[in-house]
Every structure is written in C-alpha cells, then in structure tokens.
Amino acid sequence: MKVQQPGRRIGIGIAVGVLAIALAACSPEEQQAANTGNSSPTPSVSTTIQPTNSPQAVQPSVKPSVKPSAQQLSSQKTVQVYWLKSSGSKIEVVPAPVKIEAGVKSENILEGAFNRLLAGPNDPAYSSTIPKGTQLRNLDVREDGVHVDLSQEFTAGGGSASMTGRVAQILYTATSINPNTNVWIDVEGKRLEVLGGEGLVLDQPLTRQNFEKNFDL
C-alpha cells in the first residue's frame, strides 16, 4: 500500500491558486490567448491627436482698423498771400489762397506764407514790388502783434508806389490769420521807420485800418 505524500499535494494546490490569480489579473484578450494557446500579439492601433494649439487650428487674429484723425490725414493749412493787381489806373492788393505745410502754431503758418510771398507770384495776372532776393530773417507772433524781420534787399529800388505796394503786401500777408492784429516791420533787426529815397514814413505798429487811411496805391 502506497503512502500519500501530503507535502506534494499542498504544493500543487498552491501553484493552481497562483495561476488562477494571474489569469484574473489579465485582460479578457490575454485570458483568451492564454486559454487557446495563441501566442501571436494583438495588433495595436495608434491614434494621432492633433493639439489644439497647432498652426492649423489657430485662426489669425484681425485687428480692428483705426480711422486716422483729420490732422493725420492732412497737415496743410490754407492761408492768404497778397499780391498786387492792376485795375484801371489803380493797383489793388488781392489775396491768393495757398496751402502751407505747417504745424498748429501761427508762426509756422505765417513763415510758410512769407516764404511763398518772397518767391514771387506764379500767376502772370499778379505782380509784386518786393525786390528779388528779399529774405525772411525772423518772424514772431507776440502779444502786441506780428513782428517781421526782413533782409536789407527789401529797401532796394523803386518809387513811392513800389514802396507802398511792398509794405501793403507784407502787412496784409502778416495779418492773414488775424486781420485786426498789429504788424511790426524790421530790416536787419532794426525797426523800419522810413522806407525809400522819397521817405515813406511808417508809424509802427501798422494795421490794415491805418494803412487804408493813410496810404493810397
């Protein structure tokens, strides 16, 4: 009669229990592969997920358009430059509008107007008695009026009509922004009191009102 070996039976039971636990931990596919003995691997399927911050997923931002201001659209100012025009036996002082590239300050606008005036008229219907070569040395807009400083050429040549006409051109152009302002005329930094050989006396400051009262073209 054989005698059973208790230790061997216990060892087989432990092995069966461990195998059952291992099978329980496996996935159903792995359990099926283990039961059927199929050792071929299950093909894997890779899925590519496109990140939301990829260039294709980002829509370009559109900035709202900003309308430029009126000052940005054009920095030009309209100012009157005064020429002389024959009308029968008389000479008239006539305005001509010009566009000046200038800032908001009156000095800048008037400087542009005087530079245009001293360059002479483009229209043959107009004339100027301001001698060629006359330059604007300085221009200031102060509390007491507009101060204009011209070069020495301003006093050269001409009779009384020529002297009166050039003074009128300076005066009216200097008051194109404010017709009621006072005007002071200097030549080479000195106050102009008498103009020309015939002695055209200038009581300064000049205004449009006193010029029309005391002078005749």
Side-chain angles (χ1 to χ4, degrees):
M1 183 179 63
K2 290 185 179 180
V3 179
Q4 295 182 352
Q5 301 293 331
R8 180 178 179 84
R9 180 173 294 183
I10 294 174
I12 294 174
I14 293 174
V16 172
V18 171
L19 179 59
I21 294 173
L23 289 175
C26 293
S27 62
E29 290 82 0
E30 292 174 334
Q31 293 178 11
Q32 182 179 359
N35 293 331
T36 59
N38 186 8
S39 60
S40 60
T42 302
S44 60
V45 179
S46 62
T47 304
T48 302
I49 301 176
Q50 184 172 317
T52 57
N53 59 349
S54 64
Q56 292 83 354
V58 177
Q59 296 296 329
S61 60
V62 179
K63 295 182 179 180
S65 59
V66 179
K67 293 184 178 181
S69 63
Q71 185 175 2
Q72 292 174 331
L73 289 175
S74 176
S75 61
Q76 291 185 333
K77 303 292 183 180
T78 301
V79 65
Q80 303 292 341
V81 172
Y82 284 81
W83 308 110
L84 302 177
K85 183 177 182 180
S86 298
S87 177
S89 60
K90 296 186 63 177
I91 297 177
E92 297 178 347
V93 183
V94 294
V98 295
K99 295 288 187 179
I100 304 297
E101 293 287 345
V104 295
K105 291 185 177 180
S106 298
E107 290 93 336
N108 297 336
I109 300 174
L110 290 178
E111 283 178 6
F114 268 94
N115 289 333
R116 181 67 191 87
L117 174 68
L118 298 179
N122 295 325
D123 192 334
Y126 300 144
S127 63
S128 174
T129 57
I130 299 175
K132 291 183 179 180
T134 302
Q135 297 180 357
L136 179 66
R137 299 181 69 249
N138 191 37
L139 188 147
D140 284 330
V141 178
R142 306 175 186 172
E143 292 183 359
D144 61 347
V146 178
H147 292 250
V148 181
D149 186 11
L150 302 170
S151 63
Q152 187 64 43
E153 287 83 356
F154 181 73
T155 62
S160 60
S162 174
M163 298 297 177
T164 304
R166 71 186 67 174
V167 170
Q169 288 182 260
I170 297 297
L171 170 63
Y172 278 79
T173 300
T175 56
S176 58
I177 296 178
N178 182 6
N180 297 318
T181 192
N182 297 330
V183 176
W184 307 80
I185 301 177
D186 294 347
V187 173
E188 299 292 340
K190 296 182 180 180
R191 187 62 38 80
L192 182 62
E193 297 177 353
V194 179
L195 179 61
E198 298 183 10
L200 183 66
V201 179
L202 301 178
D203 293 327
Q204 302 203 50
L206 300 173
T207 64
R208 291 190 180 190
Q209 290 76 16
N210 63 31
F211 180 85
E212 294 171 358
K213 179 179 179 180
N214 297 319
F215 296 94
D216 186 18
L217 290 174

